[in-house]
Amino acid sequence: QKEVEQNSGPLSVPEGAIASLNCTYSDRGSQSFFWYRQYSGKSPELIMFIYSNGDKEDGRFTAQLNKASQYVSLLIRDSQPSDSATYLCAVTPGGFKTIFGAGTRLFVKA
Amino acid sequence: DTAVSQTPKYLVTQMGNDKSIKCEQNLGHDTMYWYKQDSKKFLKIMFSYNNKELIINETVPNRFSPKSPDKAHLNLHINSLELGDSAVYFCASSLGLSGGIPGELFFGEGSRLTVL
């Protein structure tokens, strides 16, 4: 079983729609959860982090965490073509190690 | 002023050669990392140093040797390059356990290695 699993996509949504990205993780002791965005040919950049169960909102982005189900999600409201990228779910079990999922490619059609 | 910088950005070399990638960060972070991203975009941790000490050493062939001369620099040397080493290698840094967002990584631009 992979440590962090994501649907590789591609996920295609029309402009203005809600994009929903999902991630599951295997280490029940994981403490910190992240979403990074990576544009083609660029490096990953952090867009959201969450530590506690529930929702966390930042602008058009909402991260959701359910530790009992070992599930993390990212919602992007009012999706824009500029949101088209690969979204990497990352989990820190503890200490210094951050483990990434394989990423979900998102296409937002104008 | 680039926060995490890597050189070179592109390397094209023959199998069997040796190559090095250098990384420098000016963020004052304590912890630095090497990640490998393959053609399927899977980002896998290779090594991590905290204040010049090796703290993470994943299952990586011993042809790969990291070196951290000080906490602002982390280099990666690869001996006897193989076709499967072709990938993008990302350097990253973080505050580690000393503050900021625990686990937040700041990435360099990546070094694309192509082995022919």
Side-chain angles (χ1 to χ4, degrees), chain B residues 17-64:
Chain B
N17 284 350
D18 304 338
K19 286 294 178 187
S20 292
I21 307 171
K22 295 186 176 182
C23 179
E24 176 181 3
Q25 55 95 2
N26 62 6
L27 298 168
H29 288 169
D30 294 333
T31 309
M32 296 185 72
Y33 308 78
W34 281 113
Y35 278 85
K36 178 181 179 181
Q37 189 169 48
D38 60 26
S39 58
K40 295 183 178 179
K41 294 289 191 182
F42 185 51
L43 198 60
K44 186 172 181 182
I45 190 167
M46 301 173 68
F47 303 103
S48 178
Y49 276 76
N50 178 253
N51 284 316
K52 301 192 295 176
E53 288 197 29
L54 182 66
I55 55 170
I56 296 174
N57 186 353
E58 292 294 288
T59 307
V60 176
N62 57 16
R63 298 181 295 103
F64 290 79

Side-chain angles (χ1 to χ4, degrees), chain A residues 4-92:
Chain A
V4 179
E5 293 209 51
Q6 296 180 251
N7 186 330
S8 62
L11 172 66
S12 184
V13 301
E15 184 175 359
I18 295 175
S20 178
L21 304 159
N22 304 313
C23 170
T24 57
Y25 60 94
S26 61
D27 187 336
R28 194 169 280 280
S30 296
Q31 300 173 1
S32 308
F33 307 86
F34 306 86
W35 285 97
Y36 285 80
R37 178 177 61 200
Q38 187 176 22
Y39 292 113
S40 181
K42 301 294 185 183
S43 56
E45 57 177 336
L46 182 69
I47 55 171
M48 287 291 287
F49 64 93
I50 187 166
Y51 303 138
S52 306
N53 276 331
D55 295 0
K56 180 181 178 183
E57 188 173 319
D58 184 1
R60 296 186 296 112
F61 299 98
T62 298
Q64 299 174 316
L65 173 61
N66 183 327
K67 289 188 177 181
S69 301
Q70 295 174 243
Y71 177 88
V72 193
S73 67
L74 178 71
L75 300 177
I76 307 174
R77 289 181 299 283
D78 188 24
S79 294
Q80 301 297 309
S82 59
D83 294 325
S84 298
T86 297
Y87 289 81
L88 303 169
C89 174
V91 173
T92 301

Side-chain angles (χ1 to χ4, degrees), chain B:
Chain B
D1 206 18
T2 305
V4 182
S5 59
Q6 299 178 225
T7 54
K9 290 187 171 41
Y10 300 95
L11 304 93
V12 180
T13 190
Q14 301 286 333
M15 275 197 309
N17 284 350
D18 304 338
K19 286 294 178 187
S20 292
I21 307 171
K22 295 186 176 182
C23 179
E24 176 181 3
Q25 55 95 2
N26 62 6
L27 298 168
H29 288 169
D30 294 333
T31 309
M32 296 185 72
Y33 308 78
W34 281 113
Y35 278 85
K36 178 181 179 181
Q37 189 169 48
D38 60 26
S39 58
K40 295 183 178 179
K41 294 289 191 182
F42 185 51
L43 198 60
K44 186 172 181 182
I45 190 167
M46 301 173 68
F47 303 103
S48 178
Y49 276 76
N50 178 253
N51 284 316
K52 301 192 295 176
E53 288 197 29
L54 182 66
I55 55 170
I56 296 174
N57 186 353
E58 292 294 288
T59 307
V60 176
N62 57 16
R63 298 181 295 103
F64 290 79
S65 52
K67 191 169 289 185
S68 182
D70 57 61
K71 73 174 192 176
H73 294 84
L74 179 62
N75 303 322
L76 182 66
H77 186 76
I78 315 170
N79 289 323
S80 304
L81 280 156
E82 299 178 358
L83 292 176
D85 298 333
S86 295
V88 179
Y89 292 85
F90 283 102
C91 176
S93 71
S94 74
L95 277 165
L97 303 179
S98 57
I101 300 171
E104 179 180 11
L105 298 172
F106 294 79
F107 286 89
E109 293 181 330
S111 297
R112 181 175 294 276
L113 171 65
T114 302
V115 182
L116 304 175

